Amino acid sequence: MLIDTHAHLDSLDDLPGTLARARENGIGRIIAISSDLASSRDTVSISEKYENVFAAVGIHPHAAKTADSGVLKEIETLAGAGKVVAVGETGLDYHYLNSEKDAQINSFAAHIGIAYRVGLPIVIHARDADLDLIGILKTEKVSERTGVIHCFTGNYETARKYLDLGFYISFSGIATFKKSEEIRDAAKKIPGDRLLIETDSPYLAPVPLRGKTNEPAYVKYVAETIADTRGVSPEEIAEVTTENAERLFRFER
Ligand SMILES: [Zn+2]
Ligand SMILES: [Zn+2]
């Protein structure tokens, strides 16, 4: 069994078909990740409708400018829903700067506070902003459930800093791209008990499906790449990453 720990199910066209294909490919569980308030409401309803789907609620750094106090209050309420297993995605994206840095930092700090109060892990999006992210994680009171740096694209040295703070590292289809040697080097070196895999569907389809619409079934290609990189069998990676996801997200909640 594999777990796709990060999929934007609310952005996929044919959800029943997508979930059926995921099941056929051995994807036992999927975490539906939110990007704004409307999407947080949607992922909670999707998780209520489908047995194998769990939800994370939050405001993506791109939409951080929408995260006013009313919105954050509703996110905190939604975080209490039955199958919500994490807060996110939140974080910092200085590459696109769709929201200004200040708005992103305030929203990120607020999400850390929500995760702390509701006792859930955080799903963190990091792009060209590791220094600020690590600084904020060191100064804010972080939930003891920590969280995950999703779609990790840094090197091992950066991964080490997040690992030292207790975080898990999740690899996406980017790890399968030819040029991603540095990312694969990190995937090779990080401790097995902190490793997670994801698709970030519908974005970033892995090789050999690069450029297509991504879906949870394709997380198996990420697992194969990580297995190859670490010199172990895909079955072993499936087992280890599934155990890790179960420990971090406590699905039985
Ligand atoms: Zn992201
Ligand atoms: Zn995402």
Side-chain angles (χ1 to χ4, degrees):
M1 177 177 105
L2 291 164
I3 296 180
D4 183 358
T5 62
H6 193 114
H8 294 271
L9 295 186
D10 61 315
S11 303
L12 289 165
D13 290 333
D14 170 22
L15 190 54
T18 302
L19 294 176
R21 286 190 295 279
R23 241 187 329 270
E24 282 157 24
N25 282 278
I27 318 306
R29 288 185 173 118
I30 301 165
I31 303 182
I33 303 288
S34 304
S35 38
D36 57 20
L37 180 57
S39 145
S40 297
R41 292 180 188 135
D42 288 347
T43 58
V44 169
S45 347
I46 293 170
S47 74
E48 280 161 0
K49 196 165 166 195
Y50 298 97
E51 200 191 336
N52 298 335
V53 177
F54 295 78
V57 295
I59 312 292
H60 192 286
H62 288 341
K65 56 181 171 235
T66 68
D68 60 29
S69 60
V71 166
L72 290 165
K73 208 174 152 197
E74 191 173 339
I75 293 292
E76 185 154 354
T77 306
L78 286 167
K83 285 176 78 189
V84 174
V85 295
V87 171
E89 60 185 294
T90 178
L92 300 176
D93 191 318
Y94 291 174
H95 183 78
Y96 289 107
L97 282 174
N98 289 355
S99 287
E100 282 178 27
K101 280 189 185 181
D102 275 357
Q104 293 193 39
I105 289 168
N106 290 338
S107 172
F108 181 44
H111 280 78
I112 294 175
I114 292 171
Y116 179 81
R117 287 190 295 277
V118 300
L120 287 176
I122 335 167
V123 177
I124 296 178
H125 170 107
R127 182 115 194 237
D128 296 348
D130 292 303
L131 217 61
D132 279 8
L133 275 163
I134 290 160
I136 294 165
L137 289 172
K138 280 183 176 164
T139 50
E140 295 291 321
K141 214 167 177 181
V142 175
S143 162
E144 59 180 39
R145 302 266 314 267
T146 64
V148 54
I149 312 303
H150 106 88
C151 191
F152 185 74
T153 51
N155 57 23
Y156 176 67
E157 199 191 330
T158 304
R160 190 69 256 169
K161 293 183 182 137
Y162 291 115
L163 291 166
D164 289 345
L165 290 166
F167 281 79
Y168 289 68
I169 307 285
S170 178
F171 294 91
S172 70
I174 295 183
T176 70
F177 297 171
K178 203 173 168 200
K179 281 185 182 160
S180 302
E181 277 118 8
E182 207 172 57
I183 301 171
R184 282 190 293 275
D185 178 65
K188 185 179 179 175
K189 291 175 182 162
I190 74 166
D193 63 357
R194 298 289 191 86
L195 200 61
L196 293 172
I197 48 174
E198 64 172 81
T199 56
D200 208 4
S201 301
Y203 319 105
L204 303 168
V207 173
L209 300 161
R210 192 171 178 181
K212 297 215 167 121
T213 300
N214 201 1
E215 58 177 68
Y218 303 160
V219 78
K220 66 179 179 186
Y221 297 109
V222 180
E224 280 165 16
T225 295
I226 304 295
D228 200 42
T229 304
R230 290 173 73 94
V232 298
S233 67
E235 291 74 24
E236 190 175 329
I237 289 300
E239 197 174 312
V240 163
T241 54
T242 294
E243 249 179 52
N244 293 343
E246 284 173 345
R247 187 183 325 109
L248 178 63
F249 297 109
R250 298 184 194 159
F251 293 102
E252 57 285 350
R253 181 172 174 272

